[in-house]
Amino acid sequence: MVDGSEVLPSADVLAVLDADPQGWAFARAVRAGGDIVDFELVYCNDAGAGYLGQRRAELIGRRYRELWPDTVNDTTLQLYRKVVESREPVTRTVYYDRPSVAGHFELWVGPSGDGFVARFVDLRAVTLGPQSAGGTRLYEVLDAAFDGFTLLRAERGPDGAVLDFVCEYVNKPGAALTGRSVEETIGRRWSELAAPDERGHGLLERFREVAETGREWQAQLRYDDHDQVWQIGAAPAGTDGVAVSFRDISAFVGQQERLEQSMAAARRAAGRNAALQAVTTALVAASTAADVYAAIGAVLRPSAGGQGLAVLLRRDEHLVLQYHAGYEEAVVAHLLAVPLQHLYPATEVARTGRARYLSSLREFVAAQAGEPDPIPNGGRQAWAFLPLAAAGDVLGTLVIGYGTPREFDEGERANLAAFAAVCAQAMQRALLFEAQRSIAGELQRALLPAALPQVPGLRHAARYLPWTHGADVGGDWYDVIPLGDDVVTVVIGDVIGHNAAAAAIMGQVRNALRAYAAERHSPAVVMQRVNRLLLDLQPDAVATCCYLELHLAEGTATAVLAGHPPPIMRAAATTDILQLRSGPPLGVSNDVVFNETTFLVPSGADLLLYTDGLVEDRRYHLDDGLADLRRAVRSAPPADPAAMLDHVLNAGVGPQPRTDDVAVVWLTVDAAAGGAGIAQRRFRGDAVSASAARRFAADVLIAWGERRLVDDTLLLLDEVITNAIQHTVGAVVVRLDLVPDRLRVTVADRSERLPHPRRAGADSENGRGLLIISSIAAAWGSEALPAGGKEVWFEVARTG
């Protein structure tokens, strides 16, 4: 026996672990005759005790078998023993729903003296929080995309009317703009947060209307007491919430107001009011960068009298040409990317934020004296180089060239500066708008796999096509998960909704699917566990999913549908929508049972998995979309999967234009055996495994064309697998071997207890299974396996 001092680290290290938000525990090996038979817990921090649902004092000094008796027969205790004996740390994900412990834990276990140290965390508590990778990216996007952003949840009265809103999220810039901290804002009602002047603007009524009608609202509100103007927008978020974005546009409005004052002065002094109004109107109406450039080219250059105009924006250490009008090709070639250290006056303006005016060609040439590669003048004789500055940031330089020399008086310089200021504000708004529109695609791509793994015998391609408004985000996803032994899982799904929560839930569901698949659970069990996890974490969330487990060497696949459209398979001369057992979506009920369907996948077969946005919307019926898709898959020319996928996406399938995100995966199976007469599956050792094994055997026999063997085989299999489940702990493996004259079915388990016929009494409910097998089977037997456990087999004749 080794004392605890050889297991525990120093007191300084334990003090650090005491403050760690992750769970930490140290355990000492309990030995008998030199063998490890149990572990005694000698340390656990408060965070770990909280995850385990007990106090530290209730844990320290007690043994594993005493603390968690209903987990002794799984592999966790063996895992700890292996770490101590091999001295090699391991990482594992476990899910428990037992009387003694419940949670979805991520474990790191390493050796420590004659025992081990474990770091663990309950994933249900952190997956959707900002500590997770997907959550961190999402919050960073929200902080960067908006000055202020908040999510409000409606509070309704008994009659269903919205009475108030509760702040469920606010980003850091938003909290700062309101003069409160995030902690002071989240969880409080809008009626408590809103200032009296905000209530005067009727924001509560506006938000209530958005929540009840689903229509977006946007307005500019002026607060004279604070001399501020705010741009506020509200959009529905889910079924009972409102997403609000807001920004202080006082500087921009003030700039517009000063511009209007300058316009009035210019009208009185030089009669240029019409031109200024045209510029302002055109730029205020512009919502995209292309609109801004078009307005500048159509209005600004003619009104300012310029012969040529160019917009150059800062990109790292260069000025990059974004738009030009009236410039010659030779000049454009020089302006495509100008280093900021170049002597061209536009670079100085971009660096300093101060305008520069050149009245003659001589001044232009002198400005670039000593530059090895000067920018040519292109026939212009005077220039105005104007900074595009907004909110203290210089975006780039606006260049106006004139065909004749000219002097720029104070009035004209002021007028041009006002032009550039409005252009910069309009350009900043346009760039922000386009950035917000791209959030969905960027965030989705961040949460989707960067590259799908290569699997021998399987070629694949995938596409994600976002369809978004503003900063909406979607929940479509896909994944390819190699499991070894010529087994690969392909999954595709869709979280209902287009908001930040949908994207976060999508990342969480995808990660959970990967974890459970890697533990080699059957497809139905993976779905059941993800369904339970989703209901625990997000009771209001709903997701559809198609989970496909391909056994390449066998030429078989097992699929589970959770409210998702079925795949399409093209094999030989046929292209069909697969007829699979279907269950409800994930997140609907805890009582759902997901059923598997097993089918053959011949060598050379193509499979297409997709989300419903490809084939249907409120305007386009699902049957029509599936018919479109079947024709497109059938007509796709043999090529690589990426080219065939492009053919389908360009074939006009489903609603046009699309009104939802789309994810698609094309699979081409090269290594499938295609009906070689061997199929094997692994089932959990529980009651539902018997029915799952029967469905597997029936599906495979029907696919092999052996329907007449189904009844006898299922009767015999039921007896054998029921006996295996009753007398063993752990997985049960069912294998079907079809040879010319018979079918051989083998059931292997971890129990070494061989079956023995016994006489059953008249009233006995047991003891007749082997008599049934002996009567029906052509032959049967059992044998112990060299590595432990046993297998029971029986044969059914194919003739006679």
Side-chain angles (χ1 to χ4, degrees):
M1 184 71 68
V2 180
D3 62 29
S5 64
E6 296 190 30
V7 175
L8 290 173
S10 67
D12 292 341
V13 174
L14 291 179
V16 172
L17 298 184
D18 281 340
D20 197 291
Q22 298 187 78
W24 287 89
F26 286 81
R28 177 176 55 201
V30 177
R31 298 178 178 270
D35 296 328
I36 298 175
V37 296
D38 206 344
F39 289 90
E40 179 183 353
L41 198 65
V42 297
Y43 170 82
C44 182
N45 64 0
D46 286 333
Y51 286 138
L52 297 172
Q54 300 186 59
R55 292 179 297 141
R56 292 175 70 172
E58 297 172 342
L59 297 170
I60 304 302
R62 298 176 67 186
R63 296 186 178 185
Y64 184 97
R65 294 177 183 272
E66 176 187 4
L67 288 168
W68 302 290
D70 48 3
T71 70
V72 169
N73 289 329
D74 66 17
T75 58
T76 306
L77 195 58
Q78 292 89 324
L79 175 74
Y80 297 154
R81 184 184 297 117
K82 180 179 179 182
V83 169
V84 175
E85 294 173 346
S86 69
R87 316 306 294 173
E88 294 180 358
V90 298
T91 301
R92 182 183 178 189
T93 299
V94 296
Y95 182 96
Y96 284 126
D97 189 7
R98 309 283 178 83
S100 64
V101 60
H104 180 197
F105 296 101
E106 180 184 82
L107 298 174
W108 176 89
V109 185
S112 179
D114 191 35
F116 67 85
V117 55
R119 184 190 68 224
F120 57 98
V121 64
D122 191 342
L123 297 180
R124 296 184 301 184
V126 303
T127 306
L128 289 179
Q131 300 92 335
S132 69
T136 299
R137 286 195 293 272
L138 178 59
Y139 283 94
E140 289 174 350
V141 168
L142 292 176
D143 282 346
F146 302 98
D147 288 353
F149 180 86
T150 184
L151 289 173
L152 303 176
R153 174 177 52 80
E155 281 192 337
R156 298 182 181 272
D159 60 350
V162 176
L163 303 179
D164 208 338
F165 291 87
V166 175
C167 178
E168 291 197 324
Y169 168 77
V170 65
N171 65 355
K172 292 179 181 178
L177 286 172
T178 61
R180 298 181 177 89
S181 68
V182 173
E183 292 78 8
E184 293 170 334
T185 305
I186 292 179
R188 297 184 60 185
R189 290 182 173 84
W190 176 258
S191 58
E192 300 170 356
L193 296 170
D197 50 359
E198 291 172 330
R199 298 184 189 124
H201 284 292
L203 290 180
L204 181 60
E205 293 300 322
R206 296 294 187 183
F207 298 159
R208 181 183 291 119
E209 183 179 348
V210 170
E212 292 178 346
T213 66
R215 292 193 296 269
E216 298 180 3
W217 170 79
Q218 182 171 299
Q220 289 185 6
L221 302 181
R222 181 180 293 273
Y223 297 89
D224 294 328
D225 292 346
H226 307 291
D227 194 24
Q228 290 180 325
V229 181
W230 291 77
Q231 179 86 27
I232 300 181
T239 59
D240 213 24
V242 174
V244 181
S245 61
F246 50 97
R247 62 189 302 235
D248 184 351
I249 59 170
S250 304
F252 172 65
V253 172
Q255 182 68 55
Q256 286 184 312
E257 292 173 349
R258 288 190 292 275
L259 176 59
E260 291 173 358
Q261 296 170 1
S262 177
M263 288 169 59
R267 181 177 64 248
R268 292 189 299 269
R272 290 177 248 188
N273 179 60
L276 289 170
Q277 283 186 333
V279 171
T280 303
T281 301
L283 291 177
V284 168
S287 60
T288 67
D291 294 339
V292 173
Y293 300 145
I296 293 174
V299 181
L300 181 55
R301 187 168 65 96
S303 65
Q307 183 196 28
L309 182 144
V311 176
L312 299 107
L313 298 185
R314 294 188 65 158
R315 294 288 186 273
D316 299 325
E317 295 302 313
H318 288 78
L319 278 181
V320 178
L321 183 66
Q322 299 294 318
Y323 172 82
H324 68 90
Y327 268 81
E328 301 80 3
E329 291 185 5
V331 180
V332 170
H334 282 76
L335 293 177
L336 292 177
V338 184
L340 282 176
Q341 301 307 315
H342 196 283
L343 295 180
Y344 183 53
T347 62
E348 176 190 346
V349 171
R351 294 194 306 269
T352 65
R354 296 190 295 270
R356 186 171 179 183
Y357 301 91
L358 304 180
S359 299
S360 66
L361 178 59
R362 181 180 58 81
E363 293 181 8
F364 182 79
V365 172
Q368 300 187 82
E371 175 59 51
D373 186 23
I375 307 296
N377 68 303
R380 275 157 287 283
Q381 301 291 315
W383 291 262
F385 296 93
L386 308 167
L388 293 170
D393 185 23
V394 180
L395 305 177
T397 303
L398 173 64
V399 183
I400 303 175
Y402 301 86
T404 58
R406 64 188 294 145
E407 295 295 332
F408 298 90
D409 59 29
E410 290 300 322
E412 186 171 10
R413 292 188 182 202
N415 196 52
L416 289 173
F419 274 130
V422 175
C423 290
Q425 294 286 350
M427 196 169 301
Q428 186 185 54
R429 292 199 316 275
L431 294 174
L432 177 61
F433 177 75
E434 291 182 346
Q436 291 173 347
R437 286 178 55 185
S438 69
I439 284 177
E442 293 300 323
L443 180 58
Q444 205 101 26
R445 281 185 284 273
L447 294 175
L448 289 172
L452 295 178
Q454 297 302 311
V455 179
L458 179 69
R459 291 177 291 135
H460 51 69
R463 298 282 189 275
Y464 167 67
L465 308 178
W467 180 90
T468 59
H469 285 310
D472 290 346
V473 289
D476 291 33
W477 87 92
Y478 56 83
D479 211 347
V480 174
I481 311 167
L483 301 178
D485 301 326
D486 291 316
V487 180
V488 60
T489 287
V490 183
V491 61
I492 192 166
D494 181 7
V495 175
I496 306 303
H498 288 86
N499 50 43
I505 293 169
M506 176 268 282
Q508 197 280 337
V509 170
R510 174 178 169 263
N511 289 340
L513 279 165
R514 289 187 67 89
Y516 294 136
E519 292 178 353
R520 296 304 296 267
H521 294 294
S522 67
V525 173
V526 170
M527 287 298 217
Q528 288 167 358
R529 292 198 168 190
V530 172
N531 180 63
R532 184 182 306 166
L533 183 64
L534 185 60
L535 284 165
D536 288 345
L537 293 172
Q538 291 289 331
D540 297 329
V542 176
T544 70
C545 184
C546 173
Y547 186 99
L548 186 66
E549 184 180 279
L550 285 164
H551 291 247
L552 299 174
E554 293 179 3
T556 65
T558 297
V560 175
L561 291 183
H564 201 86
I568 290 182
M569 183 167 71
R570 182 176 73 174
T574 63
T575 301
D576 295 310
I577 300 170
L578 294 175
Q579 301 300 310
L580 306 178
R581 300 178 181 93
S582 181
L586 301 170
V588 172
S589 170
N590 240 330
D591 299 326
V592 171
V593 175
F594 296 99
N595 292 323
E596 302 169 348
T597 306
T598 301
F599 57 94
L600 301 185
V601 183
S603 182
D606 297 308
L607 286 160
L608 181 69
L609 285 69
Y610 53 93
T611 54
D612 62 352
L614 180 65
V615 292
E616 69 169 335
D617 65 8
R618 287 176 295 180
R619 303 168 291 120
Y620 207 84
H621 196 275
L622 176 62
D623 291 343
D624 296 330
L626 291 176
D628 294 344
L629 185 58
R630 187 165 175 260
R631 284 191 295 270
V633 172
R634 183 171 56 239
S635 62
D640 66 281
M644 290 187 281
L645 199 52
D646 290 338
H647 169 85
V648 170
L649 294 175
N650 294 323
V653 172
Q656 302 292 330
R658 295 193 180 98
T659 58
D660 196 2
D661 299 347
V662 172
V664 284
V665 179
W666 185 290
L667 309 171
T668 297
V669 180
D670 296 326
I678 298 174
Q680 177 175 295
R681 290 294 185 275
R682 180 176 179 269
F683 300 94
R684 290 193 306 170
D686 55 20
V688 298
S689 295
S691 58
R694 289 195 302 269
R695 279 191 296 272
F696 159 68
D699 289 344
V700 172
L701 289 176
I702 292 172
W704 283 343
E706 300 292 336
R707 185 180 294 271
R708 61 192 183 83
L709 301 182
V710 170
D711 291 341
D712 288 348
T713 300
L714 297 191
L715 177 60
L716 297 170
L717 176 60
D718 187 62
E719 295 293 337
V720 175
I721 197 169
T722 300
N723 184 71
I725 292 171
Q726 289 177 344
H727 298 291
T728 191
V729 174
V732 177
V733 178
V734 177
R735 176 185 173 101
L736 279 66
D737 292 272
L738 191 67
V739 295
D741 61 340
R742 65 190 183 280
L743 169 71
R744 184 184 180 100
V745 180
T746 304
V747 178
D749 60 54
R750 294 166 60 184
S751 171
E752 297 182 357
R753 176 181 175 182
L754 298 176
H756 295 288
R758 58 189 177 88
R759 185 180 301 277
D763 299 326
S764 175
E765 297 181 359
N766 299 310
R768 297 183 177 84
L770 295 181
L771 295 177
I772 295 174
I773 295 173
S774 298
S775 300
I776 299 176
W780 76 278
S782 63
E783 58 187 56
L785 298 175
K790 70 172 183 302
E791 64 178 22
V792 179
W793 58 268
F794 63 84
E795 295 179 350
V796 179
R798 297 179 64 186
T799 59

